Amino acid sequence: MGDLRIALNVSNASCSSCTDGAASSIVSGGTPIYTYLWQPIIGNTPSMSNLPVGCYTCTVTDANGCSVIATTCISFGTGIAQTQNESSNLN
């Protein structure tokens, strides 16, 4: 299946103190089934919602124990933030 890769899609929060931001991961390669760990909040799903402004890291591990990490930041304002496509393969 190729190298394990991750991309993060982010939606900004609507204001600096709002908790309506979101981030989702798109995983390719590696060997399914994938597990997810979001930090600094504790989450274990492909997508996280109700997020405040801040930076978040998602670690994805495949069935063979290979992991990748990607980090993105939620800002505030209109529209979709950025898509973070960089991944760091830990194996």
Side-chain angles (χ1 to χ4, degrees), residues 49-67:
S49 58
N50 302 319
L51 298 174
V53 170
C55 294
Y56 300 90
T57 298
C58 181
T59 302
V60 176
T61 304
D62 73 3
N64 290 330
C66 298
S67 296

Side-chain angles (χ1 to χ4, degrees), residues 15-88:
C15 68
S16 62
S17 61
C18 295
T19 58
D20 58 356
S24 62
S25 61
I26 301 166
V27 178
S28 61
T31 305
I33 296 174
Y34 306 116
T35 59
Y36 301 85
L37 176 63
W38 289 89
Q39 293 177 315
I41 56 168
I42 303 299
N44 60 2
T45 60
S47 300
M48 299 298 295
S49 58
N50 302 319
L51 298 174
V53 170
C55 294
Y56 300 90
T57 298
C58 181
T59 302
V60 176
T61 304
D62 73 3
N64 290 330
C66 298
S67 296
V68 290
I69 297 174
T71 299
T72 194
C73 295
I74 292 176
S75 186
F76 64 93
T78 59
I80 300 289
Q82 73 276 2
T83 300
Q84 176 69 35
N85 289 313
E86 185 61 36
S87 59
S88 301

